Amino acid sequence: MKLATLKDGSRDGQLAVVSRDLALAHFATGIASTLQRALDDWNFIAPQLEDLSATLNGGKARHAFAFDPRACMAPLPRAYQWADGSAYLNHVELVRRARNAQMPASFYDDPLMYQGGSDDFLGPCDDATFGSTDWGIDFESEIAVVTGDVAIGTSPDSALESVRLLLLVNDWSLRNLIPAELAKGFGFLQGKPATAFGPVAVTPDEVGPAWAGGRLHLSVESRWNGERAGLAEAGPEMHFHFGQLIAHVARTRRLRAGSIVGSGTVSNQDRRHGVSCIAERRAIEMIEGGAARTPFMQFGDTIRIEVLGRDGASVFGAIDQRVVPLAG
């Protein structure tokens, strides 16, 4: 099934079930008011949402209405946890090669991950607001999962069983702020502003065999100012699958239902697939030509990120955002 959170003036919005073709929606009134409420009691509530989904897809829902992605908040407008990995080693290798840094051997066995801000996510069509283009504004096209409760010390296989939903992500980065933060030895903060998510969250069964081995085996398309920047395969080159990423977070802590774990920038060795962020294109330019030529995003720029299923239909709907200056 597909689930969305619609704007209603509150912090957490109103949960709705969305049809498979993203044409119609139906409020989950009487079942769960918010997605977090559904995740807190998933085994009881999910079957009721599935019944509503079946009714909606069967054309028999009495109070269905046209689905509008512009009315969506992030599926989880705020979450208890947002931990983002870097599971595509090609991305890490390129960025490090561009600054003449070697890949530590540990990177192949121990996932890179940072703890992001989760109190204020952006909806799929919300403007992305920044104080200056000097900050090095960059999009990052990713996949993420939403978990149920996860016990401390869980194994990757057990962790994979906790996956409740799949998400599409634009993990905004401010590239020119990050180096100074990392130099302090204490991680990201200002360099990682509010993250945006696609209109709908989908259960793994919704994508059928494309969900296999803890990976989503579909292509992620990124269009910057209308031009395709990348059409990257999300499955084959994801070095750490989602079970491994979740288990990495859970090594020293429990995860509560509604935690979000991201894949990191989707990246392929085959450069014909393009890129899922500007930093990777600039890294390639530096490696091949000695200097980065592509500028980061400017005010007025747009980014559209979408995943199409094997039937050609949009899986999550599209993230479609514009970069705008901070007012005042």
Side-chain angles (χ1 to χ4, degrees):
M1 65 179 161
K2 298 188 175 185
L3 302 171
T5 295
L6 301 183
K7 297 175 180 178
D8 65 354
S10 71
R11 293 181 188 270
D12 298 304
Q14 190 166 2
L15 180 63
V17 174
V18 180
S19 61
R20 187 166 290 113
D21 62 3
L22 303 179
L24 298 173
H26 194 292
F27 286 121
T29 308
I31 302 174
S33 56
T34 67
L35 182 53
Q36 184 60 54
R37 174 70 187 90
L39 290 161
D40 284 337
D41 197 7
W42 188 254
N43 289 340
F44 177 71
I45 292 176
Q48 299 176 61
L49 294 173
E50 291 278 10
D51 287 345
L52 178 55
S53 176
T55 302
L56 181 63
N57 284 306
K60 298 180 180 179
R62 293 178 56 193
H63 301 293
F65 53 89
F67 177 63
D68 182 0
R70 295 169 297 181
C72 288
M73 305 173 79
L76 272 174
R78 51 182 175 168
Y80 290 116
Q81 181 159 223
W82 160 231
D84 196 21
S86 192
Y88 297 88
L89 295 190
N90 181 65
H91 173 75
V92 183
E93 289 170 343
L94 283 173
V95 172
R96 291 182 70 86
R97 277 182 62 195
R99 62 175 192 264
N100 296 314
Q102 297 295 315
M103 277 280 284
S106 63
F107 282 25
Y108 296 94
D109 303 312
D110 193 30
L112 288 172
M113 189 166 285
Y114 82 92
Q115 186 93 45
S118 61
D119 59 323
D120 183 31
F121 293 137
L122 297 178
C125 302
D126 291 348
D127 288 339
T129 303
F130 303 106
S132 173
T133 55
D134 292 339
W135 290 350
I137 303 166
D138 197 359
F139 64 90
E140 289 191 60
S141 305
E142 307 184 6
I143 304 298
V145 297
V146 182
T147 77
D149 289 330
V150 181
I152 186 172
T154 193
S155 70
D157 287 344
S158 295
L160 200 53
E161 295 176 4
S162 74
V163 173
R164 300 288 183 257
L165 297 163
L166 311 179
L167 300 171
L168 180 64
V169 183
N170 180 10
D171 184 39
W172 287 103
S173 288
L174 301 175
R175 301 294 186 184
N176 293 339
L177 300 185
I178 288 173
E181 290 196 304
L182 293 183
K184 295 178 181 179
F186 217 52
F188 298 124
L189 182 67
Q190 293 174 343
K192 301 300 290 188
T195 303
F197 291 85
V200 301
V202 307
T203 49
D205 62 287
E206 192 71 28
V207 297
W211 175 251
R215 301 170 175 88
L216 181 64
H217 293 264
L218 293 173
S219 297
V220 181
E221 183 181 53
S222 307
R223 286 190 172 271
W224 178 16
N225 292 332
E227 298 292 327
R228 179 183 283 173
L231 185 65
E233 296 290 335
E237 295 182 54
M238 187 180 181
H239 185 76
F240 300 102
H241 63 66
F242 277 110
Q244 292 170 301
L245 295 178
I246 295 166
H248 180 78
V249 183
R251 182 182 180 189
T252 60
R253 68 180 81 172
R254 296 180 295 179
L255 279 71
R256 289 307 194 186
S259 293
I260 304 175
V261 178
S263 67
T265 307
V266 179
S267 180
N268 297 156
Q269 290 185 356
D270 187 342
R271 293 181 185 173
R272 292 174 299 178
H273 290 198
V275 297
S276 300
C277 70
I278 301 169
E280 190 166 308
R281 179 182 287 179
R282 287 168 59 90
I284 293 169
E285 291 169 350
M286 291 175 70
I287 293 166
E288 295 182 347
R293 301 184 306 275
T294 302
F296 290 114
M297 298 182 79
Q298 304 299 307
F299 293 138
D301 280 7
T302 61
I303 179 65
R304 180 181 176 90
I305 304 169
E306 192 168 19
V307 172
L308 299 184
R310 294 178 179 177
D311 59 358
S314 184
V315 175
F316 303 97
I319 294 172
D320 198 350
Q321 296 184 276
R322 181 179 299 274
V323 174
V324 300
L326 182 65

